Amino acid sequence: MVGIRVSMFALILFVSLISPMGFAKSVSLKTINVSVQSDYGILQAEIHFDERDLDVALKAERVIKTDLIKAINYFQYVPRTIVHFNVDPYLRLTNGNARTFPTDIINLYKFPPSNNEHLIVMEDWLTGLIFHEYVHVTHLDQTRDFLELGRNIFGSIAKFPVMVVPRWFTEGIAVWAESHLSKNGRLNNPLFRKELLIQFLRADYCKTIDCLDEPGLYPHGSLAYWAGAHFMEYMEEKKPGTIKCLVEENSSKIPFLLNRVFSICTGQNAEDSFTEFRERLINSQPPQTPENEAWGDKISNAFGSDDLQKGIYLDGNTLFKVEQYRKSEALVSYDLQENVNMLVAQFSYPISDISGMTTVPQVDNEISDNGKFLIVAFNEDPYFRGANRVWKLVNTETLQADYTLPLKNDPSYVIGLGNNRFLTASFVNNRWIIERQKVDMAKGTVTDSDILHYFGVDVNLAFFKKVGQKILVKLNRKELGTALYVSDLTLESLYKVYESKTFFDLPIQNENFFVLREKDSLRLFEFNDGFKKVSVSEMGKDLLNRVTSAEIGDERVLVLENRLKTKDMSLKESMAYLKRNAGKAQNVEMTQVSFKNEEVPLTLDQSKAESFPKAYHFIPHYWFIAFGSSENLSSYGAMTTFSDPMDLTILDASVLTYPEESKVGGHFTLTHKLAPVSDLWSLSAYFNHEYSKTDFSSNVDQTTEWSVGTHYAILMKRWTMVPGVFFGQTKTDDFISDRTVKSFGLSNVLSYNAQTFDDVFQKLIFQLKFENNQPDIGDDYYSVQSLLKLEGRFYERLVGGLKFSYGKLFKDGFRQGVIYGGGVNSLDNIRWHEFYGLPYNNAYGNEIFTFRLHLDYNFWYINRGWGLVPIFFKEAHLLLGRESLYADRIILEKTLYKEQTIHSMFAGARLKTNLFYFIPTDIDVIYSNIQRPNGGKVNQVDFLVNASFE
């Protein structure tokens, strides 16, 4: 026990020292109860949040009470159990997620969209987010007929058949609802529609419904949102009430009958409906006119498809943009005058935004000679806990990221002012602030900063851009709508130019004018006398009917039509063209406003807030039949889960019977996050009582084991380390001996995962487990288990890897326990010492070593299925390799080898699929040629299925 106390003290000390590296955050969780009356029942909801996020929780309460009634009335349904809204206190990430098993839970990430993201159209972003996720719950919570009977017997697990549908169906319904029921969604964003049209206009792109969830090309899984939303919109416009009908009919059907559901609700199956929709979308473009032709020539792509959400920037005759090819990404520059690609650059982190350009930075009191720099944001933190993005200066002549900007407050927008000065807009403590920051590039610090505007909790920044010597700002207030402001580069004062309660965008922006588009109208705003006088005139609504946006430079125009196009056109000519199509100008009255220090402190009404969690949160919501994992002895029983809505505590439990042997076993696994300290620090407990058989003995083996432990996750961008301490006991009665071993020890998992597809060094996993074992027979002994995996990418289709494992019990004889080897990893079983063609348990002893070298060649990008058949083929791979295994004892075809090494060559095929629409599954067929230690060979064929849930 002294060893345990020392180990625990060491871990606690270690955690206290490295907690800042892991982005640790303590929270104090509370709950607000909300109920909404409707004609279809009472919506019962709970909002769970950290006390520091009170303002977000109160906004969410208001949205639930005032906005969700629109979804309730359309679907004529209220979820049967409490809907839990979790305000995530950790992630600086846009979006959220929802699930209906084991109960209805919505996770809200409290970080607004920015720049060119499709979600930027949600100017009241929290309303849009809550609405989208609530519609998922409304959709997937419904059960009828035989599914309702199953729900009454088994609980919420009976909702699973409803969930077995393509992602384009669930996401399409939710995006449609966020757009048409809340009037706040992506279908109101012109870029969202245009990007789908650009892809569908390609002759070889996703012509059938099977590939909507993953076309294998840009935008990959996002196509489920893009196409699904427009498809559902088309079906609803064609026949109002169709979406409600689809949801209701699907709630009473066994999986894979979605075509039947479509036939009932629309009169035709889903495949035919999609083909009709796709053709209608392509043919829905406004006709080509002489004015449209004037926009110029198409710009060719050097790398792949344009990723327009990440921004484009026009500097004179040079265009900068991000392109995607399959799983790869590049920043590309084009000379539009000569119509040639100049540079293609790839980075080790994903690009988030191209924000703008700045002049040369000053470093060590010297001015760089490298000319202009792009301001580019990268996603360097895959966990989105430390920062949403990191801003760098990319040299326009080399496309290399020469400098990292040490900006404060994780800004979402950055505008360069020159001389190492920047305007930034950041979302801090659930409020937007605009700052002026000056940085020291040599020291990597901010030397001066000044908050220019501090916005209230109900104000959302939806647009922030520099055009010449002016700044344009869009601000949204839920009750008042959205207003457009203009300022000079000092940003000391904002002048309101326009305000509306309906969405509007700015397809053209210039220092001297901009075009405002709202519904079917276009307006031309012109600046006079700087920006303090503005005139507005109506424009012909068809002028930009094929144009989503345009960049107008001094000598060139760049237009996003059905793809990017460009034309030599002076600023004077551009202005003349717009004015020819504009009516009489009228002056605009502008109002000067200031938001500095606008902060209203909020207090929590303690009478309406409760502590979290409560005892009733742990009442199980389901039970189901369970099957054991023993390879040679069948078992079945029942399983369930006890958990709170925020998954701070999860207890999985099962009871199993072994009918062949009249035995009873079972297990439970408990994990608990120490949220008051850090959610990265967890406690765990495990108990398992099971029976098994080997393939070389008829005796029934019995194992009873339990353990308790704690571990802490240290998050360091691409690196993760998880040190831990554990204590446990294992009682085993098998063909070797009847023994009990108590153990305590230390563990550590160190992992590295590349952030981009093309990195040479892709993956590293190093696991180490050191134990002190105290058997009931014989002396105490130490043991060590270690595993190292390395993986690298040679080029797009070829990956290679190494795997080493070593385990040793520092003792003599086998009566006190052994290490097992053989077998391969699966969904339920993690093996330290794998070997193809050798069953698990057929290698054992006090010492085991394995080595594997493998090559993985992707020889076929399939990305096809058959209509709505629930198997989708993504890729086909060829696997080749060599491996070795040493153990004290090896049983190979009923021959026992002592202290020998076996070698094998293996080859096989891997089919990467999605089963049931959303379960990534690898199907392997592996042929092994195993060399016996004393000569001769054994040929084995393994058929393996390995799945994971995304």
Side-chain angles (χ1 to χ4, degrees), residues 475-527:
L475 299 174
N476 173 269
R477 297 190 184 197
K478 181 177 177 65
E479 304 300 332
L480 301 178
T482 301
L484 177 68
Y485 302 84
V486 64
S487 177
D488 58 18
L489 297 185
T490 67
L491 264 182
E492 294 291 343
S493 298
L494 295 175
Y495 293 84
K496 185 190 298 183
V497 179
Y498 186 75
E499 188 171 28
S500 177
K501 288 192 174 183
T502 60
F503 175 76
F504 62 87
D505 69 325
L506 308 176
I508 300 177
Q509 311 127 33
N510 184 272
E511 182 176 9
N512 302 311
F513 60 88
F514 64 87
V515 175
L516 186 147
R517 176 169 50 199
E518 184 175 12
K519 292 185 176 179
D520 295 327
S521 68
L522 290 176
R523 297 181 180 91
L524 175 64
F525 286 77
E526 299 179 69
F527 293 109

Side-chain angles (χ1 to χ4, degrees), residues 382-516:
Y383 305 101
F384 292 96
R385 293 177 68 105
N388 182 266
R389 63 198 75 189
V390 173
W391 293 90
K392 297 178 181 289
L393 297 183
V394 174
N395 191 320
T396 57
E397 296 180 2
T398 63
L399 292 192
Q400 298 301 305
D402 288 350
Y403 304 99
T404 297
L405 294 176
L407 300 170
K408 299 194 306 182
N409 293 322
D410 184 24
S412 296
Y413 299 87
V414 175
I415 292 173
L417 300 177
N419 195 28
N420 291 355
R421 295 175 301 120
F422 299 89
L423 291 174
T424 63
S426 306
F427 195 66
V428 180
N429 297 325
N430 303 320
R431 288 166 173 78
W432 283 101
I433 62 171
I434 294 179
E435 294 178 275
R436 183 169 46 234
Q437 302 190 44
K438 186 172 183 179
V439 302
D440 186 321
M441 301 300 295
K443 295 180 180 179
T445 60
V446 174
T447 59
D448 186 33
S449 65
D450 181 26
I451 295 179
L452 302 175
H453 297 281
Y454 189 101
F455 300 105
V457 67
D458 285 332
V459 177
N460 181 51
L461 180 66
F463 187 83
F464 186 63
K465 187 173 182 179
K466 175 177 176 285
V467 284
Q469 297 300 304
K470 300 181 179 67
I471 304 290
L472 294 177
V473 181
K474 277 176 73 176
L475 299 174
N476 173 269
R477 297 190 184 197
K478 181 177 177 65
E479 304 300 332
L480 301 178
T482 301
L484 177 68
Y485 302 84
V486 64
S487 177
D488 58 18
L489 297 185
T490 67
L491 264 182
E492 294 291 343
S493 298
L494 295 175
Y495 293 84
K496 185 190 298 183
V497 179
Y498 186 75
E499 188 171 28
S500 177
K501 288 192 174 183
T502 60
F503 175 76
F504 62 87
D505 69 325
L506 308 176
I508 300 177
Q509 311 127 33
N510 184 272
E511 182 176 9
N512 302 311
F513 60 88
F514 64 87
V515 175
L516 186 147

Side-chain angles (χ1 to χ4, degrees), residues 117-394:
E117 295 177 72
H118 290 162
L119 288 167
I120 195 66
V121 71
M122 292 185 181
E123 295 178 332
D124 178 13
W125 63 275
L126 187 61
T127 298
L129 172 60
I130 291 175
F131 210 96
H132 179 102
E133 303 303 341
Y134 176 76
V135 169
H136 278 317
V137 169
T138 296
H139 174 188
L140 300 175
D141 183 74
Q142 299 188 40
T143 52
R144 291 176 174 84
D145 299 343
F146 83 97
L147 293 181
E148 180 66 11
L149 176 63
R151 188 168 179 176
N152 290 333
I153 298 172
F154 294 107
S156 61
I157 200 168
K159 293 190 279 187
F160 264 107
V162 180
M163 304 177 203
V164 184
V165 290
R167 287 179 66 248
W168 61 258
F169 185 59
T170 55
E171 297 299 347
I173 289 173
V175 176
W176 171 83
E178 87 192 19
S179 306
H180 287 273
L181 299 182
S182 78
K183 311 298 182 185
N184 193 39
R186 279 161 278 189
L187 284 168
N188 300 310
N189 187 338
L191 181 61
F192 186 66
R193 181 179 181 87
K194 180 56 62 72
E195 289 220 72
L196 177 64
L197 179 62
I198 289 172
Q199 300 304 325
F200 275 3
L201 285 172
R202 296 167 54 184
D204 58 344
Y205 191 87
C206 197
K207 290 187 174 182
T208 54
I209 202 169
D210 55 274
C211 63
L212 291 185
D213 280 0
E214 177 48 86
L217 298 167
Y218 177 79
H220 298 286
S222 293
L223 187 64
Y225 295 78
W226 299 9
H230 288 91
F231 184 26
M232 290 296 103
E233 180 183 52
Y234 169 74
M235 300 305 298
E236 185 72 13
E237 290 176 351
K238 187 177 177 181
K239 182 183 177 182
T242 292
I243 291 175
K244 175 178 176 292
C245 178
L246 292 172
V247 169
E248 291 180 352
E249 289 296 328
N250 186 62
S251 69
S252 63
K253 300 292 186 293
I254 63 174
F256 325 133
L257 291 183
L258 195 57
N259 262 331
R260 174 63 177 159
V261 170
F262 266 78
S263 296
I264 292 172
C265 294
T266 69
Q268 61 183 155
N269 63 34
E271 290 103 320
D272 293 341
S273 296
F274 173 73
T275 300
E276 181 181 278
F277 150 72
R278 193 179 188 279
E279 292 175 356
R280 181 69 62 87
L281 178 68
I282 292 173
N283 295 328
S284 66
Q285 307 172 76
Q288 199 86 32
T289 65
E291 288 80 7
N292 300 142
E293 297 285 358
W295 290 117
D297 302 319
K298 295 178 180 178
I299 300 171
S300 60
N301 286 36
F303 185 80
S305 298
D306 295 330
D307 189 342
L308 298 172
Q309 290 188 81
K310 297 190 174 182
I312 58 176
Y313 192 82
L314 179 65
D315 178 40
N317 287 314
T318 304
L319 171 65
F320 301 92
K321 60 177 179 169
V322 178
E323 296 183 11
Q324 305 274 353
Y325 177 70
R326 290 196 176 125
K327 301 174 185 178
S328 303
E329 175 183 83
L331 177 62
V332 184
S333 65
Y334 291 86
D335 184 335
L336 300 181
Q337 185 70 36
E338 302 296 332
N339 193 28
V340 295
N341 162 244
M342 295 191 297
L343 293 169
V344 175
Q346 293 182 267
F347 300 90
S348 58
Y349 292 101
I351 298 171
S352 175
D353 300 296
I354 301 175
S355 177
M357 186 171 284
T358 188
T359 55
V360 294
Q362 182 175 328
V363 182
D364 291 332
N365 297 319
E366 295 183 2
I367 301 296
S368 169
D369 296 328
N370 293 331
K372 301 175 183 177
F373 286 79
L374 286 175
I375 305 172
V376 181
F378 294 85
N379 292 326
E380 289 194 358
D381 180 7
Y383 305 101
F384 292 96
R385 293 177 68 105
N388 182 266
R389 63 198 75 189
V390 173
W391 293 90
K392 297 178 181 289
L393 297 183
V394 174

Side-chain angles (χ1 to χ4, degrees), residues 5 371 409 565 728 843:
R5 290 194 294 268
N409 293 322
K565 300 170 69 175

